Amino acid sequence: MRRSRRQAAGRRKDEGASRKVPQLPWTVVRNPYPAMDIAGPDDVEAIHDASMRVLEETGINILLGEARDILRDSGVAVTPGETRVRFDRGFIEEAVARAPRQWTLHARNPARNRVMGGNHINFFPVAGNPNVSDLEGGRRAGNLADYRDLLRLAQVINAVHGCTPMLEPVEVDPDIRYLDIVGEQLFLTDKIAFGYSLGRRKIRDAIDMVRIARGISEAVLLDEPSIWTVVNCNSPLQLDVPMLHGMIEMARHNQVIVVTPFTLAGAMAPVTIAGALTQQNAEALAAIAFCQTVRPGTPVVYGGFTSNVDMKSGSPAFGTPEYVKAVLLGGQMARHYALPYRSSIVNAANWPDAQATYESAMSLWATVQGHTNMVMHSFGWMEGGLSASFEKIAIDLEMVQTMIKALEPVDFSEPELAVDAIADVGPGGHFFGTRHTLERYETAFYEPILSDWRNFETWKSDGAIDTTRRATRVWRQLLDEYETPDMDPGIAEELTAFIRRRKQEGGATADD
Amino acid sequence: MRRSRRQAAGRRKDEGASRKVPQLPWTVVRNPYPAMDIAGPDDVEAIHDASMRVLEETGINILLGEARDILRDSGVAVTPGETRVRFDRGFIEEAVARAPRQWTLHARNPARNRVMGGNHINFFPVAGNPNVSDLEGGRRAGNLADYRDLLRLAQVINAVHGCTPMLEPVEVDPDIRYLDIVGEQLFLTDKIAFGYSLGRRKIRDAIDMVRIARGISEAVLLDEPSIWTVVNCNSPLQLDVPMLHGMIEMARHNQVIVVTPFTLAGAMAPVTIAGALTQQNAEALAAIAFCQTVRPGTPVVYGGFTSNVDMKSGSPAFGTPEYVKAVLLGGQMARHYALPYRSSIVNAANWPDAQATYESAMSLWATVQGHTNMVMHSFGWMEGGLSASFEKIAIDLEMVQTMIKALEPVDFSEPELAVDAIADVGPGGHFFGTRHTLERYETAFYEPILSDWRNFETWKSDGAIDTTRRATRVWRQLLDEYETPDMDPGIAEELTAFIRRRKQEGGATADD
């Protein structure tokens, strides 16, 4: 694949300087319109009350003794020798209220910092999928070369607002893999970095690497959230040891924990949307309350990943009506607690085709209407999380860019109302050559990166290339446009040495 | 194509009785949530004021003398011998206020009546495109056989809420084509019928045919809107003779006129969204005021079709950020005047692929968020209006059904909150076999008609059929499920005789 990419670049050079992909600029994105509320205030209160009853009466399993001790020391009635912990709602509500409403997540390049909270929207790419595919190379297991290319796309695409572990490079030994996952983000991009919180040592190393990459002291790091992680509960109602170790480390360092129960309705959660949301809310608030107990004021995000399963196969479905409702409701719950919100653009399709597109489009609208602050998996997710697709990245980019432009407010000033221009053209005329048009036409409309608006005959005579195949051209061109971001040589050396040393020491397991 | 469909049906029979396509039932659809307002009250007033200035200062061309006489008799200052008519805003506002806010559009089968207005949403299929395509038959000129198949799909698909001229059968002589266009709707479906208002005689015949099909008197017809038409202004600012004849006839019979200026920003309208909306609003209100002058209380719909052009080619673009904004703003203007609203699900793609899907998905969400009462072109539109696609109908159906289910309110009652079910399962369990799940799983989730949620390996070993090719199976199966709706033999005879006679008389031209 790399070779053919270089060949393509060579071809383009032969044809003369190629125009860059007409991306939107790097920009702050907000949804300036009210969120879409599908639950009334009483319904929100009903979900809250039900989830509090779950935490009070059923409780959740906290598998790490140290975590139970922290809770006990804060007044939670922990029974010695029992992993099950039941929470008083007063404790939960007080702890959750300590979480900050809005904050900045820092990147190693300050121009890449992003605000989380309010009506800010940040799009993050696909994360954690074990396979990868492109049209010509086919589907293959996650590997470092593809992980690097995906990160290069994350860097070059302006609508990608931060990094994720975009692919699981399964060829790398799990004990050292996390060093490559974080290291490649820091070397190949200058955007926000992500670390897996699977055990104490792994996340400590990730925090160290980000601190080195930013060239800051531990004291500054403690003031400036600079790395983020996701904690998926073991739904239903369980937090395991590596997860809790990760949360403790991240909270103690004041770093960002995105708590995201994986509550598939009908499988790990009740079959009803209201029930799945009740469980999601109980699990999310318990974990968030735990983080706020470790360190009050820790930046946390209320994550939702509720969808339904295919009742024929038990496999997860995405972009469904149930998914749309869960995303919108999750946003309402997050706003109820004044917490930043995370949800996702996801699909269960096997190919970057119409199904992948409509399931993602439904997800996209729900995330935006639900005032999602961190939109995960916005670029390239496929197969319900089993594969990342290069072509899908280009398709998703067109959709996300369309949405970003659609959210820009309309200008209703007098010249834009064009009463004089309409008078000048008059009945039966046209506006093509008018001054009002000429002054604005270059920037008036969104220019697509992938859509082909030529007529059928022209499109057909040019090979009848469908959108998925055009997407190959787009991601390849974007990859060709990639430039390695600057990094101070001293920092690069220190980071390289850190990774080399930790690899020599054997990395870390989830138990470390 | 017809033959291969029969072959497909034969194959299925050999394989045993096939399960029907799992459609949603025929149902009332509402958007119970607030519309998405992207303009403030002052902005709406600014558009209104600007459009009134256009009508007062520039005016519009009313090319039919009889129409100008009607306006003059109602107090409009018409200059003898001049086609340009300038309107006082008081006249426009008073006339528009006479239009009813909500009403029922009657079908020949009363179970198929639909309410227009409020938060009711009605999805209508593709209309008027001159070409048609399917994957195996390719792209071809509009013809009667395909028009009939498209109408059969309109009848069998429960999410299709009324008929349109789904295809222009260009093989039929234009003077008699309108008789087939209306007649086939009435024979092949029992849903709401549409007639072109291109001239006096054509629309009179269409009204007569619908009256015969419903088996009602002229007096009942005058009380019950039973046929609808679309009037596209000759933008900018012009209404031609056949259009005005049609409007006069439809208004005098109290039938439904959907006024839809075709205001492409940058071509027939200003390049700015605010300017294009100003012109759309001026044209729509002038035509609506005219209808209300002909007959106060005539059921009219405020239509919007504002999009942008591709500034490279001048051809229309759809599903763009500008289109989304125009659809949402159009809805705000319609609600400002308490008028039912029409907009469309449209795209400019050449193939029923990812582009066709995301452009349509963007349009779909905008129409729903904008509280569109009549969603035109919801099924099968392609190529910016140059072709209807059978496969696209199946893709659109999946999207529309997903939206219909997403709009169904969530049940927050105590059993749905599932606190007891969560307690019963407890930490680390699962909900697959629980009573709470078993009591609900059959109807808990939307069942897709087109999406393939099997895993990659299964999908691949089953031929790796992409969504567009699966869509072929879906529309063919739907066509196989079609049943001709009952019609009283006397009515069928009368209608057949009417069409035969009018064809023998040579039909009608736009000048008749």
Side-chain angles (χ1 to χ4, degrees):
Chain A
M1 191 194 60
R2 297 299 301 273
R3 194 185 53 198
S4 61
R5 181 161 63 83
R6 293 214 184 89
Q7 286 173 338
R11 270 202 306 278
R12 257 200 304 286
K13 270 176 202 151
D14 294 346
E15 291 162 8
S18 167
R19 187 164 163 266
K20 280 196 168 185
V21 174
Q23 290 190 68
L24 298 183
W26 171 267
T27 180
V28 170
V29 180
R30 290 164 178 263
N31 180 351
Y33 310 112
M36 184 172 168
D37 287 349
I38 64 170
D42 290 352
D43 304 324
V44 170
E45 193 49 52
I47 297 274
H48 171 73
D49 177 68
S51 62
M52 291 302 105
R53 278 147 58 203
V54 167
L55 290 179
E56 287 173 336
E57 295 159 18
T58 301
I60 73 171
N61 280 355
I62 307 276
L63 299 186
L64 176 68
E66 180 189 349
R68 293 195 301 275
D69 292 346
I70 289 170
L71 289 168
R72 189 199 56 217
D73 294 347
S74 298
V76 176
V78 175
T79 308
E82 275 192 21
T83 55
R84 186 83 69 97
V85 177
R86 292 177 179 80
F87 295 88
D88 180 76
R89 71 177 66 197
F91 170 83
I92 296 284
E93 288 165 0
E94 275 174 41
V96 168
R98 290 186 203 115
R101 173 188 292 264
Q102 182 170 311
W103 30 269
T104 296
L105 186 39
H106 293 255
R108 74 171 176 88
N109 175 354
R112 305 297 200 174
N113 294 353
R114 303 293 297 188
V115 173
M116 304 294 153
N119 63 10
H120 285 260
I121 301 182
N122 300 279
F123 293 101
F124 290 80
V126 57
N129 292 2
N131 298 289
V132 60
S133 75
D134 72 285
L135 235 56
E136 291 183 19
R139 188 175 185 267
R140 52 201 177 267
N143 60 83
L144 265 183
D146 281 313
Y147 178 52
R148 291 186 183 121
D149 276 346
L150 289 168
L151 286 174
R152 290 183 179 106
L153 287 173
Q155 173 68 8
V156 79
I157 295 174
N158 293 324
V160 173
H161 297 134
C163 289
T164 63
M166 292 180 72
L167 182 66
E168 197 64 30
V170 293
E171 65 187 1
V172 183
D173 184 288
D175 292 353
I176 61 166
R177 192 188 298 163
Y178 72 103
L179 294 164
D180 287 329
I181 284 177
V182 180
E184 298 294 346
Q185 292 176 54
L186 294 172
F187 283 117
L188 295 173
T189 90
D190 60 2
K191 298 183 179 179
I192 292 163
F194 172 100
Y196 280 119
S197 59
L198 295 173
R200 193 186 296 270
R201 186 61 199 260
K202 284 183 177 178
I203 195 68
R204 271 191 192 167
D205 282 349
I207 293 169
D208 273 341
M209 288 164 74
V210 168
R211 187 185 50 71
I212 293 168
R214 283 197 61 205
I216 57 173
S217 66
E218 296 209 11
V220 172
L221 185 87
L222 205 63
D223 267 348
E224 295 182 348
S226 306
I227 182 170
W228 69 291
T229 195
V230 169
V231 171
N232 296 121
C233 301
N234 313 102
S235 301
L237 303 175
Q238 194 153 275
L239 287 166
D240 68 21
V241 172
M243 216 175 268
L244 286 157
H245 270 143
M247 288 164 79
I248 291 170
E249 285 304 316
M250 286 289 279
R252 283 188 178 150
H253 288 85
N254 195 35
Q255 300 305 305
V256 175
I257 303 161
V258 178
V259 176
T260 311
F262 189 32
T263 35
L264 279 179
M268 293 92 90
V271 74
T272 55
I273 294 298
L277 260 289
T278 292
Q279 187 183 311
Q280 171 187 301
N281 201 56
E283 294 177 0
L285 293 194
I288 287 169
F290 175 72
C291 296
Q292 298 304 320
T293 305
V294 174
R295 186 188 168 285
T298 294
V300 294
V301 174
Y302 182 108
F305 209 84
T306 297
S307 192
N308 58 302
V309 293
D310 175 6
M311 292 310 288
K312 289 178 197 156
S313 65
S315 61
F318 293 103
T320 61
E322 294 74 30
Y323 183 76
V324 167
K325 292 179 193 183
V327 168
L328 294 170
L329 281 174
Q332 284 196 255
M333 298 314 297
R335 289 190 296 282
H336 183 66
Y337 304 112
L339 294 168
Y341 179 48
R342 167 255 157 112
S343 64
S344 309
I345 298 177
V346 277
N347 69 85
N350 289 304
W351 198 247
D353 62 2
Q355 178 188 337
T357 304
Y358 60 68
E359 291 180 345
S360 291
M362 292 287 162
S363 307
L364 167 61
W365 267 95
T367 61
V368 168
Q369 300 278 312
H371 276 202
T372 303
N373 305 111
M374 299 185 79
V375 185
M376 283 283 290
H377 307 305
S378 308
F379 306 93
W381 163 289
M382 290 287 297
E383 295 179 36
L386 293 177
S387 189
S389 156
F390 280 90
E391 278 74 23
K392 187 68 179 6
I393 287 175
I395 294 169
D396 288 333
L397 177 56
E398 187 83 292
M399 290 200 278
V400 168
Q401 290 203 144
T402 298
M403 184 60 71
I404 289 173
K405 290 297 284 184
L407 292 173
E408 284 183 4
V410 175
D411 182 351
F412 293 99
S413 64
E414 181 64 23
E416 294 281 304
L417 291 166
V419 174
D420 293 341
I422 295 170
D424 289 345
V425 168
H430 67 76
F431 291 77
F432 277 117
T434 68
R435 186 169 156 187
H436 189 265
T437 300
L438 291 177
E439 285 173 352
R440 293 168 176 81
Y441 80 97
E442 284 183 339
T443 57
F445 306 138
Y446 170 67
E447 183 181 356
I449 59 160
L450 179 60
S451 297
D452 188 332
W453 290 340
R454 296 173 303 170
N455 66 34
F456 182 84
E457 291 74 15
T458 308
W459 172 80
K460 191 178 174 191
S461 72
D462 199 22
I465 314 291
D466 75 12
T467 305
T468 304
R469 284 190 291 150
R470 293 200 303 276
T472 306
R473 298 177 183 175
V474 172
W475 73 257
R476 286 208 172 136
Q477 189 184 340
L478 284 167
L479 205 46
D480 283 337
E481 292 175 16
Y482 169 79
E483 292 176 16
T484 310
D486 290 336
M487 180 181 268
D488 176 271
I491 287 177
E493 198 177 323
E494 187 181 352
L495 195 53
T496 304
F498 180 95
I499 295 169
R500 190 186 308 121
R501 176 174 61 81
R502 291 292 301 121
K503 282 187 177 177
Q504 282 166 353
E505 293 167 359
T509 71
D511 298 328
D512 290 330
Chain B
M1 191 195 59
R2 298 300 301 271
R3 193 185 55 199
S4 62
R5 182 160 65 84
R6 292 211 183 89
Q7 286 173 338
R11 272 200 306 277
R12 257 198 306 284
K13 268 175 202 150
D14 295 343
E15 291 162 8
S18 166
R19 185 164 165 265
K20 279 196 169 186
V21 175
Q23 288 190 70
L24 298 183
W26 171 266
T27 179
V28 170
V29 181
R30 290 166 180 264
N31 179 352
Y33 310 111
M36 184 172 167
D37 287 349
I38 63 170
D42 290 351
D43 304 324
V44 170
E45 193 50 51
I47 296 274
H48 172 73
D49 176 68
S51 62
M52 290 302 106
R53 278 148 58 203
V54 167
L55 292 179
E56 287 173 336
E57 295 159 18
T58 301
I60 72 170
N61 280 355
I62 307 278
L63 299 186
L64 176 67
E66 179 187 350
R68 294 195 301 274
D69 293 346
I70 290 170
L71 290 168
R72 190 197 55 218
D73 294 348
S74 298
V76 176
V78 174
T79 307
E82 276 191 20
T83 55
R84 187 82 70 94
V85 177
R86 292 177 178 80
F87 294 88
D88 179 77
R89 72 176 65 197
F91 171 82
I92 296 285
E93 288 165 1
E94 275 175 40
V96 168
R98 291 187 203 113
R101 173 186 293 263
Q102 182 170 310
W103 30 268
T104 296
L105 184 40
H106 293 256
R108 73 172 177 87
N109 175 353
R112 303 298 200 174
N113 295 353
R114 304 291 297 188
V115 173
M116 304 294 153
N119 62 10
H120 285 260
I121 301 182
N122 300 279
F123 292 101
F124 290 80
V126 57
N129 292 2
N131 299 289
V132 59
S133 74
D134 72 286
L135 235 57
E136 291 183 20
R139 189 175 184 265
R140 51 203 178 266
N143 60 82
L144 265 182
D146 281 313
Y147 178 52
R148 289 185 184 119
D149 276 347
L150 289 168
L151 285 173
R152 289 182 180 103
L153 287 173
Q155 173 68 9
V156 79
I157 295 174
N158 293 327
V160 173
H161 298 133
C163 288
T164 62
M166 292 180 72
L167 182 66
E168 197 64 30
V170 293
E171 66 187 1
V172 184
D173 184 289
D175 292 354
I176 61 166
R177 192 187 299 163
Y178 73 103
L179 295 163
D180 287 330
I181 284 176
V182 180
E184 297 295 346
Q185 291 176 53
L186 295 170
F187 283 117
L188 294 173
T189 91
D190 60 1
K191 298 183 180 180
I192 293 163
F194 172 101
Y196 280 120
S197 59
L198 295 172
R200 193 186 294 273
R201 186 59 197 261
K202 283 183 177 177
I203 196 66
R204 271 192 193 167
D205 282 349
I207 292 169
D208 272 342
M209 288 164 73
V210 168
R211 186 186 49 71
I212 293 167
R214 286 197 60 204
I216 57 173
S217 66
E218 296 208 11
V220 171
L221 184 87
L222 205 61
D223 268 348
E224 296 182 349
S226 305
I227 181 170
W228 68 292
T229 195
V230 169
V231 170
N232 295 120
C233 302
N234 312 102
S235 300
L237 304 175
Q238 194 154 275
L239 287 167
D240 69 20
V241 171
M243 217 175 266
L244 286 158
H245 271 142
M247 288 164 79
I248 292 170
E249 285 304 315
M250 286 290 280
R252 283 188 177 146
H253 288 86
N254 195 33
Q255 300 304 306
V256 175
I257 303 161
V258 179
V259 176
T260 311
F262 189 32
T263 35
L264 279 179
M268 293 94 88
V271 74
T272 55
I273 294 299
L277 261 289
T278 293
Q279 187 183 311
Q280 171 187 299
N281 200 56
E283 293 177 0
L285 293 194
I288 287 169
F290 175 73
C291 296
Q292 298 304 321
T293 304
V294 174
R295 187 189 168 284
T298 294
V300 293
V301 175
Y302 181 109
F305 209 83
T306 297
S307 193
N308 58 302
V309 292
D310 175 6
M311 291 312 288
K312 289 179 196 154
S313 65
S315 61
F318 294 104
T320 61
E322 293 74 31
Y323 184 75
V324 166
K325 292 178 192 183
V327 167
L328 294 170
L329 281 174
Q332 283 196 256
M333 298 313 298
R335 290 191 295 282
H336 182 66
Y337 305 112
L339 295 168
Y341 180 47
R342 166 255 157 110
S343 63
S344 309
I345 298 176
V346 277
N347 69 84
N350 289 304
W351 198 248
D353 62 3
Q355 178 188 339
T357 304
Y358 60 69
E359 290 180 344
S360 292
M362 291 288 162
S363 307
L364 167 60
W365 267 95
T367 62
V368 168
Q369 299 278 312
H371 277 203
T372 303
N373 305 111
M374 300 185 78
V375 185
M376 283 282 291
H377 308 304
S378 308
F379 307 93
W381 163 290
M382 289 287 296
E383 294 179 36
L386 293 177
S387 189
S389 156
F390 280 89
E391 278 75 22
K392 186 68 177 7
I393 287 174
I395 294 169
D396 288 333
L397 177 56
E398 187 82 293
M399 290 199 278
V400 167
Q401 290 203 145
T402 298
M403 184 59 70
I404 289 171
K405 291 298 283 184
L407 291 172
E408 285 182 2
V410 175
D411 182 351
F412 294 99
S413 64
E414 181 64 23
E416 294 280 305
L417 290 168
V419 174
D420 293 342
I422 295 170
D424 289 347
V425 168
H430 66 77
F431 292 76
F432 278 117
T434 67
R435 186 167 158 189
H436 189 265
T437 300
L438 291 177
E439 286 173 352
R440 293 168 175 82
Y441 80 96
E442 283 184 339
T443 57
F445 305 137
Y446 170 67
E447 183 180 357
I449 59 161
L450 178 61
S451 297
D452 188 331
W453 290 339
R454 297 174 303 171
N455 66 33
F456 182 85
E457 291 74 15
T458 309
W459 173 79
K460 190 179 175 191
S461 72
D462 198 22
I465 312 291
D466 75 12
T467 305
T468 304
R469 285 190 291 152
R470 293 200 304 275
T472 306
R473 299 178 181 171
V474 172
W475 72 257
R476 284 204 175 139
Q477 189 184 340
L478 285 166
L479 204 47
D480 283 337
E481 292 175 15
Y482 169 80
E483 293 176 15
T484 311
D486 289 337
M487 181 182 267
D488 176 272
I491 286 176
E493 197 176 322
E494 188 181 351
L495 194 53
T496 304
F498 180 95
I499 295 169
R500 191 187 308 119
R501 176 174 62 78
R502 291 293 299 122
K503 282 187 177 177
Q504 284 166 351
E505 292 168 358
T509 71
D511 299 328
D512 289 333

